[in-house]
Every structure is written in structure tokens, then in C-alpha cells.
Amino acid sequence: MRLSIILVALAFSSCKKNDSKEKEEAKTAEIKDTAKPSDIKPPLPVAAPPADAVKVPGDISYKIVKEGEGTPSKKNDSMKVHYSWWKTDGTLIRSSVKLNRPQTFHLGQQPEGWQNILTGMKKGETRMAWVPFEGLNKSKRSMPGQKTAVISAEVLEITPAPPALSVVSPAGATAINGLTKKTVTAGTAKGFANSYDKVKFTGKGWDAQGNQFFVKTDKAPRLLTGLPEALSLAVQSVSKGESAQVWIPKEKNADKKFPDGDLVFELTVDDIIEGMKPPETPSDVATPPADAKKTADGVSYKFLSKQNAGDKPGPADTVKVDYTGWTTDGKMFDSSITRGQKASFPLNRVIKGWTEGLQVMSIGDKVRFWIPEQLAYQGKPGMPAGMLVFDVELFEIKKAPKPPEVPTDVAAPPKDAKKTDLGVSYKVLKEASQSGGKNPGPTDKVTVHYSGWTTDGKMFDSSVMRGSPATFGLNQVIKGWTDGLQTMVVGQKTRFWIPEKLAYGGSPGKPAGMLVFDVELLGIK
């Protein structure tokens, strides 16, 4: 697990749609591009599926546009595909065709929607499918204001998957560290990796239903503390040079990173790179000691070194730290120390317990924090559960820029505000230095500085505070942004009042009601 374990998504940034090759291939819903609608035309009208469309599970309808030939794909096959993706109003969201970059899908790793679209297709076949947005990503995220995605997929190649292994270990398998293993090829060296080592390995994994949920084909080294528990344990049971099948009982697969239940992996370890030994588990990891102090919201803490005088970080400042985190059963889930790299992040982009707790520290302090679950991950799937314990050493504080002032008219648009046809109110705050600039189109990529508030004056996001402009396609954001920013020219600064129906539409966890944004347009691509 990496620093991402403590980062939380910004409210606005979460509406936007580098690692190893197979990760890139697996991230089917994460390609960013700004294809023009005139570049890629849908083979059929996109507004609704035709009457003769085939219905499949997941509330998906599809129609074959071009027949293929050969054997249909099965659930664990790998497929090289060209696809394009539209909204039901015909706006193109992304296209591998425009990028001239076909995408490889390992079907067993894909969200349900992609599996149901692609399974059963033949080489050369093209399908047009209507699928709920939630089915296209494993986190079940929706796109504000859009229920359905329209996808055209053309199959270029199909690579059949190997037979699935059973999750029941065979007679004669060897017990090791609570797992069972069968060696396929003997190793070249004695000894196994530790949980904090980096390992070069390849492999596959199957669940109890025979789904191949994991594939790693590259030999890039991976830090084992950053892997799901089941995979980390499996790799630790295979020696250097060895190929083996490893069976994982469900009790060793409890972190919700992989499918529930028993699992089986087939792995080959090419090299083990010794890592930094992690800090020892605190003796008081289970509960805060009697002499621990407590913040206003309930974060317990204790200084592990002499408390230093000096400035303390504010809630939006950026800090540089070394840290290690444990669950209360003593299991380490993350550590910058074992990675050999200090972490740097703004305090308003991490879990609440970090935001509050680190404000008691000065540079040079080392503090242990006990963060209750309601200030940590609140039971989110795939995240460490319960109270979390962190040892943190603070090395640097970078003060945040002064936050933009809350607009005096944040509660409602003023009388002199203009309004787009869709209902976004706006007012130009600063004109461009040169006249005659062009407006961005609905699929252009723009670079902006912005700040956003709810109508009670609470700022929920700001690129200004982060000190870095944002770049995104106007077809990748909330409707109010797509509509409103088309009124702007480069150099202009405008305030927008975006009704809820053109913002997040009441989506849980997103800013609610009408939203107000100050936006400065810096560039158009």
C-alpha cells in the first residue's frame, strides 16, 4: 500500500475521468483523450438501443454491427480491442481509435459491464452496446447527469486463457506459512522474500468461480507491502527462480482487495531485492496509553521524542514526513520508511485524523497517533479497518497560499449575471487582455485555475490552494462546467453559479446543491 492509502480525492477532481504495462491494460476506464465528435462517428444512433438489440445481464443491450469469425471469447481470455465511448447525446468521451492505441482487456480483471460487453465476441466482430456507467468501473462510480454510456467495440485479437486452477489444493501440496504450495519448477536459491522486500515476479490468480482476476506479465519489481495481503503472502512463499502454485485460504484474504473466499495463484519469482526492514510494531498499538493526549475531535497522540518549539502546519499546508501505519492487531499496512522515500502532501487531502493530528507537530517532532475509524476510512471497502495507529516524523512544512476570499454573492447569482441556455448563471470578473479570442468547444482540453464553494460559503476545492492549474477535457467534467466554460476565452476570469442538476445531482459524497466556481481560463488545446 502506498501513500494513496491516506490520500482522499478532491471533490471536484473526482469527477474527472504509471505503472506496469499490465496495469495500463487493465485500466480500461481511465484513458484520457479529447477526441472531437467529428473525428469518430458512432455506427448506430446513440440515443437508445434499437428494438432488436440483445439484452444481457447488467442492464446492458447490444447490437452486432459487423460479424466476426472464429471461436467466441471466454471469460478469462485476453482481447485486443479498439473502442469508442459516447454519451447518449452523441458527445464522444474517449476513443482508442483516435489515439491509434488499441486496448488489451484481461476479461477476468474487468468490471462487470466490460465483461458482459466483450465476452462471446469473435475476432473481427464489432458491437455497439448501451451500458450503465456504474458497470464500467469497479468502484461503481457514475458520471454526473449521465446514466448510460454507449460503446462501440471492435475485436482485433483474442488470446485464449490457460485452464483455471481449482482453489482446492491437491494431495501432496506443501504447507507453508498457513498456505499450501506445489512447486512446478525448483528455485535457484534458498530463502524467501520478506514482506518489506521488492520482488520481480509474474503470475496469474483465480477465484473459486474460476475467474482469472489477476494477471502480471511484466517483471517490474513490486514492493510487497504495497500488494494485497493474499498476493503478498503468496509471493513470500515462492523462492527465487521457483515457479509454484499457491493456495490462499479465505482467512488470509481478508483485506477486500481481491474476490472474497479461497484463491489460487500460479507465480514465478525471478529476483528478490532486499528492502528496508520496517519499524517494530508499537507495544501500545492496541489502544492509546493513559498518558496520551487527545485532539478536539478525538485523535489520541503521544510524542515519541522531545517536543520541539516552532511553527506548526495549518490545515491546508503541505508537509514532508516519514510514517508507518498499523492496524490495532499489529499488522503494518503502509510505510514510507520501507519504501525509502519520504512522503509529501497537503493536509487537506488526507484522512481527517491526519489533517487534525499533524497540526500538533513542529519540524523534528516524532509522534504516535491513534486515529478512530470515524476519522480514518469509515469502513470503506479495501481500506484498513477500525482504529489506525501511525508513527509520524515531520521534516518540512510548506505554507499554503492564502485561500481565495468567499464571493459576497456566493448565495445566489446577482441580477446582472447572464445565463446559458442550460441554466448556468455567470458573470465575467476579469476580461482577457486581448479581444477576439476563441471559445473552447465541448470536447476541447482546457487548463484553468479554479476555486469552488457551496452556497453557504464553504470552499470544497481549489487549484489555487494546491498551487497547480488543472487540465482536463470539457467532456470529462460536470455538465455545468462543460456548458459554462464555453462562454470563456483565454485570459478571462468568470464566476459561475451551477444548479445542482448540472453539478453532482445529489450524488452521495459530492458537494450538494448549487455550486459556485471562480474560473480563470489559462489555455485551450
Side-chain angles (χ1 to χ4, degrees):
M1 232 176 259
R2 298 210 169 198
L3 175 61
S4 58
I5 200 66
I6 57 171
L7 294 177
V8 293
L10 294 174
F12 175 74
S13 301
S14 64
C15 74
K16 295 190 290 181
K17 314 243 185 289
N18 323 335
D19 206 38
S20 64
K21 179 181 177 183
E22 106 282 343
K23 270 194 173 182
E24 286 297 320
E25 293 171 345
K27 291 170 67 177
T28 57
E30 303 299 328
I31 299 175
K32 297 181 180 179
D33 85 71
T34 54
K36 304 278 193 288
S38 58
D39 291 339
I40 310 294
K41 295 291 186 183
L44 297 172
V46 298
D52 60 346
V54 178
K55 294 185 180 298
V56 295
D59 198 23
I60 295 169
S61 298
Y62 75 84
K63 184 175 176 62
I64 296 176
V65 177
K66 185 180 74 171
E67 295 284 353
E69 58 184 18
T71 304
S73 63
K74 296 182 288 296
K75 65 179 182 179
N76 288 331
D77 291 348
S78 295
M79 302 173 68
K80 183 175 283 188
V81 175
H82 257 321
Y83 74 94
S84 298
W85 181 344
W86 297 267
K87 298 179 183 178
T88 51
D89 63 3
T91 302
L92 185 65
I93 299 174
R94 58 178 64 91
S95 174
S96 69
V97 179
K98 177 181 181 289
L99 295 173
N100 192 28
R101 193 172 72 193
Q103 195 77 11
T104 297
F105 292 76
H106 300 300
L107 288 185
Q109 293 181 284
Q110 301 310 312
E112 180 184 19
W114 283 106
Q115 289 190 30
N116 290 340
I117 293 169
L118 298 175
T119 301
M121 292 184 72
K122 300 177 181 179
K123 183 177 180 179
E125 181 179 337
T126 299
R127 281 185 186 180
M128 189 93 165
W130 288 258
V131 55
F133 271 103
E134 291 86 349
L136 296 175
N137 59 89
K138 291 184 177 180
S139 59
K140 302 293 184 183
R141 292 194 308 270
S142 60
M143 177 173 278
Q146 292 287 326
K147 293 183 178 180
T148 303
V150 185
I151 293 175
S152 174
E154 178 189 10
V155 178
L156 306 179
E157 295 177 14
I158 299 174
T159 303
L165 295 180
S166 169
V167 297
V168 179
S169 60
T174 304
I176 178 171
N177 299 327
L179 318 177
T180 49
K181 182 182 83 168
K182 179 182 178 182
T183 297
V184 177
T185 303
T188 57
K190 293 183 179 181
F192 301 91
N194 295 298
S195 62
Y196 51 84
D197 291 336
K198 287 184 177 180
V199 179
K200 293 181 180 179
F201 71 96
T202 55
K204 306 175 181 69
W206 294 267
D207 64 15
Q209 288 70 47
N211 294 312
Q212 185 179 297
F213 63 88
F214 173 77
V215 178
K216 185 178 185 296
T217 57
D218 73 285
K219 295 183 180 180
R222 298 292 180 84
L223 181 65
L224 297 191
T225 52
L227 298 180
E229 179 184 21
L231 181 56
S232 177
L233 292 172
V235 174
Q236 289 176 64
S237 70
V238 182
S239 64
K240 181 178 177 180
E242 182 181 9
S243 294
Q245 297 166 352
V246 184
W247 287 266
I248 310 290
K250 61 183 179 182
E251 58 268 21
K252 299 287 188 179
N253 177 33
D255 60 1
K256 305 297 183 183
K257 295 296 184 65
F258 284 148
D260 291 339
D262 297 339
L263 305 175
V264 57
F265 292 94
E266 188 169 66
L267 302 171
T268 299
V269 169
D270 292 285
D271 197 11
I272 298 172
I273 304 165
E274 187 175 354
M276 182 78 71
K277 189 174 181 179
E280 291 185 4
T281 302
S283 58
D284 50 11
V285 72
T287 187
D291 60 345
K293 299 179 181 179
K294 189 175 283 191
T295 67
D297 285 342
V299 176
S300 297
Y301 65 97
K302 180 178 180 178
F303 282 85
L304 303 179
S305 60
K306 182 180 178 181
Q307 186 173 358
N308 290 290
D311 290 343
K312 294 175 170 53
D317 291 346
T318 296
V319 296
K320 181 180 285 187
V321 300
D322 258 334
Y323 70 93
T324 302
W326 298 267
T327 48
T328 52
D329 59 359
K331 184 180 293 181
M332 189 186 81
F333 59 84
D334 194 13
S335 178
S336 65
I337 294 172
T338 60
R339 292 195 299 274
Q341 184 176 9
K342 294 178 176 60
S344 184
F345 47 82
L347 283 185
N348 58 0
R349 298 186 69 190
V350 292
I351 56 175
K352 289 181 180 179
W354 271 68
T355 305
E356 179 165 307
L358 268 70
Q359 291 184 68
V360 307
M361 300 183 71
S362 298
I363 290 174
D365 285 341
K366 187 172 184 180
V367 177
R368 181 167 297 149
F369 296 99
W370 291 262
I371 299 178
E373 186 168 42
Q374 67 268 23
L375 299 178
Y377 296 105
Q378 304 171 1
K380 290 180 181 177
M383 297 295 190
M387 183 173 70
L388 304 181
V389 183
F390 289 94
D391 281 1
V392 182
E393 186 172 4
L394 179 60
F395 293 94
E396 186 179 299
I397 302 169
K398 183 179 179 181
K399 291 295 182 182
K402 184 179 178 182
E405 292 186 4
V406 178
T408 56
D409 48 12
V410 73
K415 291 181 179 180
D416 59 346
K418 298 179 181 179
K419 187 177 284 190
T420 68
D421 291 341
L422 286 183
V424 175
S425 298
Y426 66 98
K427 181 177 181 178
V428 176
L429 304 178
K430 184 188 77 173
E431 292 289 359
S433 57
Q434 295 182 349
S435 59
K438 72 168 188 173
N439 305 110
T443 61
D444 284 343
K445 185 175 286 186
V446 297
T447 299
V448 300
H449 257 316
Y450 69 92
S451 297
W453 297 267
T454 48
T455 52
D456 59 0
K458 186 176 181 179
M459 188 173 74
F460 58 84
D461 192 14
S462 176
S463 67
V464 178
M465 292 293 291
R466 293 195 297 274
S468 177
T471 298
F472 45 80
L474 283 186
N475 57 351
Q476 297 174 312
V477 292
I478 56 176
K479 282 186 176 180
W481 271 70
T482 306
D483 183 47
L485 267 70
Q486 292 181 68
T487 67
M488 300 185 70
V489 296
V490 173
Q492 200 172 57
K493 186 174 182 179
T494 301
R495 182 166 296 152
F496 295 99
W497 292 261
I498 299 178
E500 185 171 49
K501 65 181 181 180
L502 300 177
Y504 294 103
S507 297
K510 302 292 178 66
M514 183 174 71
L515 304 180
V516 183
F517 289 94
D518 281 0
V519 181
E520 183 176 8
L521 182 57
L522 305 177
I524 303 172
K525 293 182 181 179

